[in-house]
Structure formats: structure tokens, C-alpha cells
Amino acid sequence: MSELEALFLQTLTSQLRALDQFGTWAKKSDEELLCEKYVKSKEDLKNIPIIADIDEMQIQDIRLIFQSIALAFELKTGVMCSVVMEMSHEGFGRAVVLAEKIVVTNKFFKDAHRYSFRTYDDLVKEGGKMLHSALEIFEQYHLKVG
Amino acid sequence: MSELEALFLQTLTSQLRALDQFGTWAKKSDEELLCEKYVKSKEDLKNIPIIADIDEMQIQDIRLIFQSIALAFELKTGVMCSVVMEMSHEGFGRAVVLAEKIVVTNKFFKDAHRYSFRTYDDLVKEGGKMLHSALEIFEQYHLKVG
């Protein structure tokens, strides 16, 4: 696991655990918890309709992924980040992570209620990839302007 | 009226009129229409509670302001723009206009249900100012990177 992947995992897990007010996840390992939230097999997906409404919980879970990118980015660079996310109740939407005046992450959703990863490894890799790309974009714009 | 102010007015009016499916505003002048939507006197504001829920119509009206900035920016520069807006039902939120990877407009809301201008001139000036600032920010970042 790369450094960025580990950082993403750490920020995602800590934010998830912070929401566990009643300790219901206390006995679960980080991997179990993340799998429950974000990993869906092909078989699982077959049981989720293509067109369906998305609920507030799911929107919150998706938001956490981008907040983790933002937080990891902050830890890495010291630059404050923020997330702006827009989501229709049908699961169409967009999430952006902003650092200063730069859009470092940009993701569109067409069926957010199905947003998931096939395996735990996929989740970790995707997080690392998004974080890497965010740092690259920021450096490209920031270095030349700042 | 400056060129940018006129462009902002034109894009805002045309987008508002496009929503008038049943021609109910057909007899209103542009200024009347914009005043009805966006201008509230101090007296009017006194009758709007500080804390209240915001309805979908109001969110849509606020969104149009930023879409007009985006559209005017596009007409001016040829660069595609988009708006991402996040709004809680209590009127807390944020709107950003993005051009390529640059955040050209950024606005926070604390009581969006009261978002308005005191006079028609204030609306026009504010639109022109936001558009001017958007163009400036984009040039600053874009020139050095592109």
C-alpha cells in the first residue's frame, strides 16, 4: 500500500468512526466497516435498481470519501480544502474538492445510489489515485501562480 | 452601465424568461421582473424571519444568478463554465462557478432565504462585479499555466 493510499484510508476510517455515536461499530475492524459501507459485489449490484432514489445516509457516505480526500490533502500540503457536493434525489450529481482557487478533484454521478467498489482493494486504490491526482493538479497550478 | 453589467443582465433575464412556460411574465419589463425576484427593501426584509426554511423556488432563483455569471463568462471567454451549489434547507450553503480547474466565483450563504438586493442598481452592480472578478481570477491562473 502506498503512502497516499494509507493516508486516505486513515482519514476515511477516522471520519467514519467519528460518526459512530453509539459504538455500534466498535467491534468491527476498519476493513469490515469500510467493506460494509463501500464495497458491493456484482451480485449485490444486480439487486439494486438502475433507477432509484438515493437516501441521505448514502449521500453522507459518498460525501465522506471526498472529505477524506480533502482532509488527506490538507495533511499532506497544509492547504485548507473544502468539498462542495450537489446531489439530486435521483442520484445525479457532482462532487468537487477545492483547494484555494483550484478544483483538485471533480466527480460526476449518474447513479450515485449504486456508487461502490467491487473490492476493498479497489476502494483503497481509487482513494490513493484521487489523492495523487489532486496533489498533481494543485502543484501544476499553484507553482506557477503562487 | 458597463459592458459586463449589461452582459450579466442579459444572461440573467434570458434565463429567467426561459422559465416562464405559461407566459405569466410576458407583460412585465425586464426590470420589473428582476425587481420582483431579487430586490427587497429594508422594509421587506423586516418581514422575513432571520431563521426560516428556504424553498426550492428560492434556491432556483439564487442558482440563476450564478448560472448567469457562468453563461456570461462563457460568452466573454469561450471557456465552458459550470455551477455547483449546495444548500441546506435552513439556507446555509455555498455556490461556486468553475471554469476549467479554476474556481472563478465563490459565495457562501448563511441566510439564503433573505438573499436579495436593496435596489435594482445594486443587483446590476453586484453581477458586474462578480463577473469582473471571475474574469480576473481566471486570467491570473490561466495565463501562467496554459
Side-chain angles (χ1 to χ4, degrees):
Chain A
M1 192 184 294
S2 76
E3 186 214 341
L4 293 184
E5 286 169 358
L7 187 60
F8 167 73
L9 264 194
Q10 180 207 314
T11 52
L12 182 57
T13 315
S14 63
Q15 289 194 87
L16 258 179
R17 295 241 179 236
L19 293 175
D20 184 21
Q21 284 178 296
F22 305 111
T24 38
W25 303 331
K27 283 184 183 159
K28 282 186 181 146
S29 74
D30 290 350
E31 185 167 337
E32 276 173 335
L33 181 55
L34 290 175
C35 284
E36 193 177 298
K37 286 281 183 188
Y38 298 111
V39 176
K40 291 190 183 95
S41 67
K42 274 193 178 163
E43 207 49 49
D44 294 336
L45 276 183
K46 270 190 199 150
N47 299 320
I48 304 176
I50 301 281
I51 295 166
D53 281 2
I54 184 165
D55 63 33
E56 286 299 318
M57 268 296 272
Q58 277 177 304
I59 294 178
Q60 171 68 11
D61 287 345
I62 296 175
R63 199 192 169 90
L64 273 186
I65 299 245
F66 295 92
Q67 276 183 203
S68 305
I69 300 289
L71 185 55
F73 186 97
E74 262 181 60
L75 289 170
K76 210 52 202 153
T77 62
V79 174
M80 279 274 285
C81 264
S82 56
V83 177
V84 188
M85 192 166 133
E86 186 175 305
M87 184 71 72
S88 81
H89 64 92
E90 288 149 315
F92 282 82
R94 187 175 182 188
V96 290
V97 181
L98 312 176
E100 290 174 358
K101 296 235 170 286
I102 319 292
V103 184
V104 293
T105 306
N106 182 30
K107 168 91 185 154
F108 288 96
F109 298 95
K110 273 191 303 190
D111 44 9
H113 63 289
R114 292 165 62 87
Y115 184 71
S116 57
F117 302 87
R118 290 308 75 70
T119 65
Y120 177 71
D121 278 357
D122 286 352
L123 166 66
V124 178
K125 279 209 182 101
E126 176 65 16
K129 221 173 81 185
M130 283 200 288
L131 186 51
H132 178 77
S133 147
L135 291 165
E136 236 176 33
I137 289 169
F138 187 72
E139 200 173 329
Q140 188 197 351
Y141 280 84
H142 187 68
L143 272 183
K144 306 207 181 169
V145 175
Chain B
M1 192 184 294
S2 78
E3 184 213 342
L4 293 183
E5 286 169 356
L7 187 60
F8 167 73
L9 264 193
Q10 180 206 315
T11 52
L12 182 56
T13 314
S14 63
Q15 290 194 86
L16 258 179
R17 295 243 178 235
L19 292 175
D20 183 20
Q21 283 178 295
F22 305 112
T24 38
W25 302 333
K27 283 186 183 157
K28 282 187 181 144
S29 73
D30 289 351
E31 186 168 336
E32 275 173 337
L33 182 54
L34 291 175
C35 283
E36 192 176 299
K37 286 281 183 190
Y38 297 112
V39 175
K40 290 191 185 95
S41 67
K42 273 193 179 163
E43 207 50 48
D44 294 336
L45 276 182
K46 270 189 199 149
N47 298 321
I48 304 176
I50 302 283
I51 296 166
D53 281 2
I54 184 165
D55 62 34
E56 285 301 317
M57 267 297 273
Q58 278 178 303
I59 294 177
Q60 170 70 12
D61 286 345
I62 295 175
R63 201 193 168 88
L64 274 187
I65 299 246
F66 295 92
Q67 275 182 205
S68 306
I69 300 289
L71 186 56
F73 186 97
E74 262 182 59
L75 289 170
K76 208 58 201 149
T77 63
V79 175
M80 278 273 287
C81 264
S82 56
V83 177
V84 188
M85 191 166 133
E86 189 175 303
M87 184 71 71
S88 81
H89 65 91
E90 288 149 316
F92 280 82
R94 188 175 182 187
V96 290
V97 180
L98 311 175
E100 289 175 357
K101 295 231 169 289
I102 319 291
V103 183
V104 293
T105 305
N106 182 32
K107 168 89 185 158
F108 288 97
F109 298 95
K110 274 191 303 188
D111 43 10
H113 63 289
R114 291 165 63 87
Y115 184 71
S116 57
F117 301 87
R118 290 308 75 71
T119 64
Y120 176 70
D121 277 357
D122 285 353
L123 166 67
V124 178
K125 281 211 182 101
E126 177 66 16
K129 220 174 82 184
M130 284 200 288
L131 186 52
H132 178 76
S133 147
L135 291 165
E136 234 176 34
I137 290 170
F138 187 72
E139 200 174 329
Q140 186 196 354
Y141 280 84
H142 188 68
L143 271 183
K144 307 208 180 169
V145 174

